[in-house]
Amino acid sequence: MIDTTAQAAVVGGSLIAFAGDLPESHREDIYLSTLYAQRATRAAVADGLEGDWFEYYRNTLKFIGWDVPRPEGLLLTSTDSMGHQVIQQISRRLGEAFSSPISRAMAALEQNQAALDLFESSSLTQQTGVFQMIPCIANGPNKIDLGLYHRQFRLYRSAPQFLFAQEQVRESREQMALLTFNTLYYAQFREKVKKAVLEQSLTSIRGLSI
């Protein structure tokens, strides 16, 4: 079983953080469905079936009941580390309620080598990378608002702890969407998703205390 008690987790190439006290079942739904989408997208891109990583990822989430609006393209406004840039972008567009939990999760990630190794190995292939940051806030008993931040980039050189290193990005594309996850609607897809990623979830999800 995966650990759903922590308020944040690395899920493959995504960092997910929850503001406040959400039921563990809601956290599991978000962890497993995002892992499902990552797995399907990476397979499609590796097989040459899709060139737009984020478009395929969004469509996969839609296929399992997520309502993902068309994302907003972001302009780079800072030369800080990628981690600081993420927090600034989320804060600027979604506010402190979203940026605060992802900031705490990122601080915990920097201190957790096992989680950092998982995130980096899932996000980075040589100098090419892709990741998501997903802060989540409860919006009633069965709805969760999520800020879905996505970044694709190329580095000048391979670098450990690329989130926290001084800016080394050669090319970058940032996108963000605000969406609402309805757990009642997702219920019809839950068992399908669990079955698809059950074995992978044991090695691809690491909880973080924030």
Side-chain angles (χ1 to χ4, degrees):
M1 296 295 292
I2 64 173
D3 179 14
T4 55
T5 60
Q7 280 190 268
V10 168
V11 180
S14 295
L15 179 61
I16 302 175
F18 296 94
D21 193 17
L22 274 78
E24 291 185 29
S25 60
H26 290 6
R27 299 180 196 181
E28 182 180 75
D29 284 345
I30 292 174
Y31 290 159
L32 295 185
S33 52
T34 54
L35 182 60
Y36 178 91
Q38 283 184 59
R39 180 182 183 184
T41 303
R42 293 183 190 283
V45 171
D47 290 342
L49 301 177
E50 177 60 46
D52 189 327
W53 204 102
F54 196 40
E55 183 69 14
Y56 196 93
Y57 179 85
R58 289 173 55 239
N59 286 335
T60 303
L61 289 176
K62 290 180 180 179
F63 183 71
I64 56 173
W66 287 51
D67 179 16
V68 187
R70 184 165 295 279
E72 171 193 7
L74 307 178
L75 295 176
L76 183 63
T77 59
S78 167
T79 57
D80 290 339
S81 68
M82 270 197 279
H84 279 113
Q85 290 173 13
V86 171
I87 296 168
Q88 290 167 4
Q89 296 280 31
I90 293 175
S91 177
R92 186 177 296 115
R93 284 160 177 78
L94 303 180
E96 186 180 355
F98 285 89
S99 64
S100 180
I102 208 70
S103 178
R104 295 197 304 272
M106 208 174 295
L109 174 61
E110 189 174 11
Q111 301 302 317
N112 187 319
Q113 191 60 51
L116 191 57
D117 288 345
L118 170 61
F119 180 81
E120 294 188 346
S121 64
S122 302
S123 301
L124 196 61
T125 303
Q126 296 181 338
Q127 284 92 2
T128 301
V130 55
F131 65 82
Q132 288 72 232
M133 298 285 172
I134 310 175
C136 310
I137 300 176
N139 181 7
N142 299 302
K143 292 184 178 181
I144 305 163
D145 289 337
L146 299 92
L148 176 56
Y149 171 98
H150 170 82
R151 185 161 185 170
Q152 293 176 246
F153 60 94
R154 289 181 62 84
L155 298 172
Y156 285 109
R157 63 189 67 83
S158 296
Q161 299 196 2
F162 66 84
L163 270 181
F164 311 105
Q166 187 174 359
E167 181 63 71
Q168 301 183 60
V169 175
R170 183 170 62 192
E171 302 170 12
S172 183
R173 184 184 182 194
E174 297 175 271
Q175 299 176 80
M176 189 185 301
L178 177 63
L179 58 141
T180 298
F181 179 70
N182 187 320
T183 59
L184 293 180
Y185 182 65
Y186 176 74
Q188 62 188 301
F189 305 97
R190 183 174 290 124
E191 291 308 313
K192 170 187 174 180
V193 170
K194 280 187 176 182
K195 183 177 180 180
V197 299
L198 184 60
E199 292 185 5
Q200 189 184 24
S201 68
L202 299 177
T203 57
S204 297
I205 300 177
R206 285 198 175 265
L208 296 167
S209 297
I210 63 174

